[in-house]
Amino acid sequence: MSETTPICPQCASEQNYFDGTFTVCLECGHEWDANSTPATQELDVKDSNGNPLANGDDVILIKDLKLKGSSTVLKKGAKAKGIRLVEGDHEIDCKVDGMKIMLKACFVKKA
């Protein structure tokens, strides 16, 4: 097995192990062959201004956002550093003010 921990292609977690044949993700349970070359698939995600976003970019909220199921409000201008793009309705996985959240790209602009 290589020195670097493979990243789960399903949920992008680094929490996984090799069971002899496949690599298994501890977070989502996805199994894959770590020896096969993964198909690198770039997500086409654009911010509120139409600028393309990439993994590792920094973004800024363009409006106040109330978190569902909580009384917490994320304020306009809050910065999220080192975002991760994911598939789905909420395209951005990041940390804002120490909280791990998922955001829609239409509520952020590239920093």
Side-chain angles (χ1 to χ4, degrees), residues 7-8 12 14-15 17 32 39 43 45-46 51 57-58 65 67 70 72 77 80 88-89 91 102-104 108:
I7 296 174
C8 175
E14 294 180 0
Q15 302 291 327
Y17 65 93
W32 72 97
L43 296 175
V45 178
K46 297 185 191 264
N51 298 321
D57 282 348
D58 297 343
L65 297 175
L67 293 181
S70 171
T72 306
D89 188 31
E91 305 97 348
M102 303 282 290
L103 294 171
K104 290 187 177 188
V108 300

Side-chain angles (χ1 to χ4, degrees), residues 39-111:
T40 57
Q41 178 182 356
E42 289 292 322
L43 296 175
D44 184 28
V45 178
K46 297 185 191 264
D47 70 359
S48 62
N49 295 328
N51 298 321
L53 295 173
N55 287 323
D57 282 348
D58 297 343
V59 294
I60 298 172
L61 294 176
I62 61 168
K63 66 181 275 184
D64 289 350
L65 297 175
K66 183 173 181 332
L67 293 181
K68 228 178 201 183
S70 171
S71 61
T72 306
V73 176
L74 298 175
K75 296 292 185 183
K76 175 182 177 181
K79 190 171 188 177
K81 295 181 181 181
I83 66 169
R84 188 175 74 190
L85 301 179
V86 294
E87 290 184 25
D89 188 31
H90 293 73
E91 305 97 348
I92 299 173
D93 184 16
C94 62
K95 279 190 176 182
V96 176
D97 297 334
M99 295 178 290
K100 185 174 167 135
I101 59 169
M102 303 282 290
L103 294 171
K104 290 187 177 188
C106 62
F107 296 123
V108 300
K109 68 178 180 179
K110 197 171 188 175

